[in-house]
Structures are given as structure tokens and as C-alpha cells.
């Protein structure tokens, strides 16, 4: 089975190359991997002590970040090597100071895995949430390198728990310890006879909770917002914007909107902007315009959204109206504001939990957007109560990083890393 898997991985290289001719993201995916192993050979010396983090994309980076920061503080003698699978994670975070080397993960062939593990020679490998690459896992096992999963999240429909998932279960069993988000994940693993599991929670709670302690001031937003109620629509996709635009166009003058599209493409932003009836302004235009006169501010920039939520009275978080995946609802929740999302969030336990507490509201059409937004805007007590619940939800679920770091400390003290 491993031979077949490796063969299919080699075959996929050709199809990825072809798709890169027509798709910019796939072009980055292919091009970015061409010289990865050579770069590692140049940057990591045989005598270096390293810890390897792997993240699928940007969301997993945010989950892994509290642990990376804690390791840099507690174990400065180790170089951190951070790999990404997706261009959307790598391209945004490739210059982050948190790691000593940030690169793409070469495709999961036997040869790539063997050379990568040999070059990086990690003392510990940390995979965030749900990235499982069999050849890499088998190679880590062969080299005697401990591997752990952090913020793990498992569902019944994953291949590990299906009759045909024998090969993937074999790869899963190479993991030395699992730190999972919830009881369901623990029970699924134990159903496979995997007992080295801790319910530590989601490290994103630690990440977003720390944001409150940062300087979140953005003077240009203060000038834009004034005394108005501010609705921040973060990481929106066209499906989200389609149900939001009628409400934005019908809103009263005392409501202002900040929209941060998930994809920063001038053409798509221009199409969205033309559908707005009121005065809109781009972040890139802020220095040459009267911010207070605009009703909609569009953030055509990456990296500001977390601070932007600091100014929100209500947040709409995108991704769940389509099938692209719900974005981080904890970022606005940590600021103590109610959260509105789309309809497809079954794979996101934190959203389901927050909804059960009546601090998150799901909408599936324009009418439902009008209904919940109008209530949140008009009823200050309701808005503040739901926001308080959201903030408490984040605060009461922190601590995953501490649990994981205690385990890493035990490995270190026992000479295992």
C-alpha cells in the first residue's frame, strides 16, 4: 500500500504542474517547492539542533504560533523549521520572525521525506491540527524522532476511521502523542486503540486571548468610525458579500461597515465596491480621503484584521456561506463582541459551542442577515450580553499551550529531545 501511495504521489506531480499553467495558486504551489531541499541544505547545519513545525496553511499557523513562541523562549538553543503545505499560508508568513527557516513542505514521496528528515534532523516534529503525511511520519519513526499532533481534530468521516483506511491508520500510529481539541476526537482515537491522547483544547484560544494585551490602536479606524456602530465583516468571500450587500445598502447612517475580503484582488474588490450604494473607501486610499464621510471601509491589505476587530460592535466572519471553510471566529470573540456567520459550519466545533451559548448566530440568506443584524444594532443590552458571553467563552478555554509545553518539557528533561 505504501508503494502504491508513493506512486500516486509521483503521478500527482505531473497534474500539479499542468494545473499550475492555468492557476496562479497552483503555480506558486509547484514553483515554491523546486529548491526547498537545496535551501534547507544551505540553511541547516549538521550540528544544529532543530524542532520542526508543520502547518497546512494560515489558520494552522495561528494555532501553532503560541507553541512556537513558547519554545523559542524556553529552548533558544533549537532552531525552528516551519513548513507549509499551502501557498496561502507560506506567502503570507514566509518572513515571520518566529522561525529560523520557513519553507514549503516537499511533496510526500519516499525520497523527499527521507532527504528532508535527514537534512532537518529534528529533535521533535510538531504537526498542527490535521496534517498527516505517511512517508514523512514513517521516516520520522525510522529516525527515532518523536512526533506529536497539537490542536488535533478528528471526525468520523475521515479515512482513519473507515474500513479502507488501514494504511492511514498505520501512519497515524507512528505519532507519539496526540493533543486534541475535544472528547469526540479522543474517543475516535481510543476506538483505534490509541491511548496516548490528551484533551488539551485549541491553542487558538491562547493566541487570540493574548491579542487583547497588544496595542490594537489604529487611528485611521477611529477617524472612520467616530461614534457610529461598527460592523466588521472579516475574511469575506463572494458568497458572504452577496447576502451582506443588501443590508449594507439599506443600513442607517449611524452604522459603518469595515469589510476585509479574504482575497485581496483589485478586480474582485472593484466589483464588490460598485455594488455599494454609499460612499466607500479603500484602506490604500485612507491618507488622501475624508474617512469620516465614508460609510464602508474596505481593507485591501493583509495582516490588519485582528486589530480591526478591536473596533467592532458586531462581527460577521466569512467562509461559511460557501464551502471554503469558516474563518477564525475567536479573533472577534476575544474582544467581547457577538459573531454572525454563514450556514456551513458543521466542521467547526468552536462555532457550534459558541452558538449553543447564544453568542454566535448563523444566517443562510439576506432576510436572516437583516433580522439578526437589526436586533443586534437596535438592542444594546442584547448586543452587549451576547458579546460578554463570547469574550468569556474565549477566556474560559485558554491553557492548551501550557499543557503541551509541559509534555515537551518532560521529553527534554528525560533526554528524549
Amino acid at each position: 500500500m505504501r508503494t502504491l501511495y508513493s506512486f500516486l504521489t509521483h503521478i500527482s506531480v505531473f497534474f500539479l504542474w499542468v494545473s499550475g499553467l492555468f492557476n496562479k495558486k497552483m503555480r506558486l504551489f509547484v514553483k515554491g517547492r523546486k529548491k526547498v531541499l537545496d535551501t534547507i541544505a544551505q540553511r541547516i547545519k549538521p550540528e544544529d539542533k532543530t524542532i520542526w513545525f508543520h502547518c497546512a496553511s494560515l489558520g494552522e499557523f495561528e494555532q501553532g504560533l503560541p507553541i512556537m513562541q513558547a519554545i523559542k523562549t524556553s529552548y533558544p538553543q533549537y532552531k525552528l523549521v516551519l513548513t507549509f503545505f499551502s501557498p496561502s499560508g507560506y506567502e503570507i508568513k514566509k518572513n515571520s520572525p518566529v522561525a529560523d527557516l520557513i519553507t514549503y513542505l516537499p511533496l510526500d514521496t519516499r525520497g523527499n521525506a527521507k532527504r528532508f528528515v535527514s537534512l532537518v534532523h529534528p529533535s521533535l516534529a510538531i504537526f498542527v491540527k490535521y496534517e498527516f503525511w505517511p512517508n514523512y511520519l514513517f521516516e520520522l519513526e525510522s529516525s527515532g524522532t518523536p512526533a506529536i499532533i497539537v490542536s488535533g481534530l478528528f471526525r468520523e468521516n475521515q479515512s482513519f476511521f473507515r474500513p479502507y483506511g488501514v494504511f492511514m491508520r498505520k501512519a497515524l500510529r507512528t505519532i507519539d502523542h496526540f493533543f486534541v481539541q475535544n472528547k469526540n476526537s479522543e474517543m475516535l482515537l481510543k476506538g483505534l486503540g490509541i491511548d496516548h491522547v490528551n484533551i488539551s483544547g485549541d491553542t487558538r484560544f491562547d493566541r487570540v486571548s493574548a491579542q487583547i494585551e497588544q496595542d490594537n490602536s489604529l487611528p485611521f479606524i477611529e477617524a472612520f468610525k467616530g461614534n457610529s456602530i461598527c460592523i466588521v465583516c472579516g475574511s469575506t468571500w463572494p458568497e458572504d458579500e452577496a447576502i451582506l450587500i443588501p443590508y449594507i445598502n439599506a443600513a442607517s447612517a449611524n452604522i459603518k461597515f469595515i469589510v476585509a475580503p479574504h482575497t485581496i484582488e483589485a478586480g474582485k474588490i472593484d466589483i464588490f465596491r460598485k455594488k455599494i450604494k454609499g460612499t466607500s473607501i479603500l484602506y490604500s486610499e485612507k491618507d488622501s480621503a475624508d474617512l469620516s464621510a465614508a460609510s464602508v471601509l474596505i481593507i485591501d491589505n493583509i495582516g490588519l484584521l485582528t486589530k480591526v476587530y478591536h473596533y467592532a460592535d458586531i462581527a460577521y466572519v466569512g467562509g461559511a456561506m460557501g464551502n471554503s471553510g469558516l474563518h477564525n471566529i475567536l479573533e472577534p470573540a476575544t474582544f467581547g463582541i457577538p459573531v454572525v456567520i454563514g450556514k456551513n459550519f458543521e466542521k467547526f466545533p468552536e462555532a457550534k459551542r459558541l452558538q449553543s451559548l447564544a453568542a454566535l448566530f448563523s444566517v443562510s440568506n439576506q432576510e436572516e442577515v437583516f433580522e439578526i443584524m437589526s436586533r443586534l444594532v437596535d438592542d444594546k443590552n442584547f448586543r452587549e450580553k451576547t458579546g460578554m458571553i463570547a469574550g468569556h467563552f474565549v477566556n474560559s478555554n485558554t491553557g492548551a499551550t501550557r499543557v503541551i509545553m509541559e509534555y515537551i518539557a518532560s521529553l527534554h528533561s528525560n533526554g528524549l529531545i
Side-chain angles (χ1 to χ4, degrees):
M1 182 59 75
R2 184 178 178 186
T3 300
L4 176 61
Y5 169 81
S6 298
F7 173 74
L8 293 174
T9 303
H10 277 286
I11 293 297
S12 71
V13 173
F14 171 74
F15 292 101
L16 290 169
W17 180 83
V18 172
S19 65
L21 299 175
F22 307 97
N23 182 285
K24 179 181 177 182
K25 185 174 181 179
M26 291 310 300
R27 193 156 55 246
L28 288 170
F29 182 94
V30 174
K31 183 179 179 181
R33 286 171 163 80
K34 284 186 176 180
K35 297 182 178 180
V36 166
L37 293 171
D38 291 336
T39 299
I40 294 171
Q42 294 168 7
R43 298 277 299 276
I44 301 297
K45 300 175 182 178
E47 63 271 20
D48 287 336
K49 299 175 70 174
T50 68
I51 292 177
W52 170 32
F53 274 85
H54 177 66
C55 303
S57 192
L58 190 58
E60 290 73 31
F61 171 84
E62 295 296 336
Q63 286 177 303
L65 186 59
I67 308 169
M68 296 181 218
Q69 292 171 329
I71 286 177
K72 281 183 73 71
T73 299
S74 300
Y75 306 103
Q77 69 271 34
Y78 289 89
K79 283 189 174 181
L80 294 192
V81 177
L82 170 62
T83 57
F84 284 97
F85 182 76
S86 166
S88 58
Y90 173 77
E91 294 299 330
I92 293 173
K93 293 299 179 180
K94 60 186 177 183
N95 296 316
S96 171
V98 74
D100 298 278
L101 174 61
I102 302 176
T103 184
Y104 282 103
L105 181 70
L107 291 178
D108 189 29
T109 66
R110 283 195 182 195
N112 283 345
K114 189 174 185 63
R115 189 172 179 215
F116 178 91
V117 172
S118 175
L119 289 171
V120 176
H121 52 269
S123 298
L124 173 67
I126 301 174
F127 296 87
V128 182
K129 194 175 180 179
Y130 52 40
E131 282 281 280
F132 304 96
W133 297 109
N135 282 320
Y136 280 100
L137 292 175
F138 291 136
E139 195 60 40
L140 289 169
E141 182 183 43
S142 296
S143 66
T145 305
I148 65 174
I149 296 291
V150 299
S151 293
L153 190 61
F154 293 89
R155 298 184 300 275
E156 292 85 348
N157 62 356
Q158 289 173 307
S159 61
F160 314 111
F161 313 107
R162 298 292 191 177
Y164 55 80
V166 176
F167 174 65
M168 291 303 293
R169 285 195 289 274
K170 184 178 179 181
L172 196 67
R173 290 191 174 100
T174 66
I175 301 293
D176 291 87
H177 206 89
F178 294 82
F179 293 94
V180 298
Q181 295 187 30
N182 55 31
K183 184 69 174 178
N184 184 60
S185 295
E186 179 192 41
M187 295 306 296
L188 286 169
L189 290 172
K190 288 191 173 182
L192 298 179
I194 297 173
D195 295 321
H196 38 285
V197 185
N198 275 82
I199 304 175
S200 59
D202 189 343
T203 49
R204 282 185 304 167
F205 286 97
D206 299 323
R207 167 68 172 143
V208 300
S209 181
Q211 186 64 39
I212 295 179
E213 301 172 8
Q214 309 300 315
D215 179 7
N216 295 299
S217 60
L218 295 170
F220 74 92
I221 291 187
E222 294 171 10
F224 166 76
K225 178 180 178 178
N227 295 318
S228 301
I229 290 176
C230 183
I231 300 177
V232 174
C233 306
S235 298
T236 58
W237 291 76
E239 297 92 337
D240 301 297
E241 292 156 8
I243 65 166
L244 290 169
I245 286 171
Y247 179 74
I248 292 173
N249 287 337
S252 60
N254 71 321
I255 304 174
K256 294 207 171 186
F257 297 87
I258 300 176
V259 181
H262 174 72
T263 303
I264 308 301
E265 293 182 13
K268 292 182 178 179
I269 290 176
D270 188 54
I271 291 172
F272 169 71
R273 197 176 184 184
K274 287 178 179 177
K275 296 177 182 178
I276 302 298
K277 291 182 179 179
T279 303
S280 64
I281 187 170
L282 301 177
Y283 166 80
S284 57
E285 301 170 338
K286 70 181 189 309
D287 295 330
S288 58
D290 182 4
L291 287 163
S292 63
S295 58
V296 179
L297 172 62
I298 302 170
I299 307 295
D300 55 342
N301 181 276
I302 296 292
L304 287 175
L305 183 57
T306 303
K307 289 188 175 184
V308 170
Y309 281 131
H310 171 66
Y311 292 90
D313 296 290
I314 304 164
Y316 177 95
V317 178
M321 269 310 296
N323 298 309
S324 54
L326 177 64
H327 292 277
N328 195 343
I329 63 168
L330 303 180
E331 288 183 342
T334 196
F335 288 108
I337 54 176
V339 178
V340 181
I341 64 172
K343 58 186 178 181
N344 301 317
F345 61 99
E346 284 302 308
K347 296 180 180 179
F348 299 87
E350 71 278 11
K352 294 164 73 174
R353 289 165 62 195
L354 199 53
Q355 183 189 46
S356 70
L357 296 171
L360 177 143
F361 308 93
S362 171
V363 296
S364 56
N365 53 49
Q366 297 174 11
E367 290 74 20
E368 291 177 3
V369 171
F370 271 85
E371 181 181 354
I372 188 58
M373 289 296 188
S374 297
R375 185 179 178 191
L376 288 168
V377 167
D378 297 337
D379 190 337
K380 182 179 179 181
N381 289 333
F382 175 65
R383 183 172 71 244
E384 291 181 346
K385 180 181 178 180
T386 53
M388 180 181 68
I389 295 170
H392 178 71
F393 173 71
V394 173
N395 291 334
S396 62
N397 283 282
T398 58
T401 302
R402 175 185 53 78
V403 173
I404 295 164
M405 288 304 297
E406 287 174 355
Y407 175 81
I408 292 173
S410 70
L411 292 178
H412 187 264
S413 63
N414 289 318
L416 298 177
I417 64 171

